Amino acid sequence: MPARVAILNGPNLNLLGEREPEVYGRTTLAQIESACRALADREGLDLTFAQTNSEGGLIDLVQDARAADGIVINPAGYTHTSVALRDALAACSCPVIELHLSNPAAREEFRHSSFTAPVVTGIIAGFGADGYTMALRALLGLINTRQEG
Ligand code: DQA
């Protein structure tokens, strides 16, 4: 059975390409999804790719993905605000990679704290749109290691 992986995106990421391009780049979320789907097809992964602007919607997506083999999540602004999202991620037993296009640690003070970072397996930040395929590769490595172990 192919490994099931979910890539989940939080608020405002639907605007990638036009939103603050000097920070987030010009690649759209649809282009990111295509790159991820191409990699998933090559690696034989069953990929779900989703985006929502609402906090509850993102929590529902995390809960739906709990049965998957791995999750990549860009929680966007909810990284810095949401105890409820953190609790949803803490309830996942599969590996979770938190992803940011920018490097929040190098930005405004309010982005330096993350509710989600302590409950995820690892973080990829600062590599722009390429971070998504990097995260997917990292997740694949974690899933393969788990299957071997
Ligand atoms: C972001 C960083 C967050 O601080 C910000 O609120 C976002 C995007 C990133 O991908 O760099 O919306 O998660």
Side-chain angles (χ1 to χ4, degrees):
M1 229 178 38
R4 281 177 303 156
V5 170
I7 301 184
L8 309 179
N9 295 282
N12 303 307
L13 294 171
N14 54 315
L15 298 180
L16 283 180
E18 49 185 278
R19 170 195 184 205
E20 298 180 83
E22 66 289 355
V23 178
Y24 300 115
R26 297 219 173 258
T27 309
T28 65
L29 197 61
Q31 289 169 329
I32 290 172
E33 178 173 357
S34 297
C36 290
R37 289 211 176 277
L39 177 59
D41 287 351
R42 279 200 300 278
E43 298 293 343
L45 297 171
D46 175 356
L47 176 68
T48 299
F49 193 101
Q51 187 274 334
T52 175
N53 286 326
S54 82
E55 183 176 8
L58 193 55
I59 291 165
D60 285 341
L61 288 172
V62 170
Q63 289 191 7
D64 290 346
R66 279 180 70 225
D69 296 293
I71 298 172
V72 174
I73 184 165
N74 184 345
Y78 294 133
T79 309
H80 319 294
T81 64
S82 180
V83 173
L85 178 62
R86 175 204 172 107
D87 289 347
L89 290 170
C92 296
S93 50
C94 64
V96 178
I97 299 191
E98 178 176 329
L99 164 80
H100 300 283
L101 294 114
S102 66
N103 175 5
R107 298 180 62 196
E108 304 97 321
E109 187 95 30
F110 66 86
R111 295 185 204 277
H112 296 182
S113 72
S114 169
F115 279 102
T116 47
V119 297
V120 298
T121 313
I123 299 172
I124 292 177
F127 296 96
D130 288 346
Y132 279 82
T133 46
M134 292 168 76
L136 201 47
R137 283 204 177 85
L139 194 56
L140 195 58
L142 290 171
I143 291 168
N144 288 340
T145 308
R146 277 193 163 203
Q147 280 167 355
E148 285 158 17

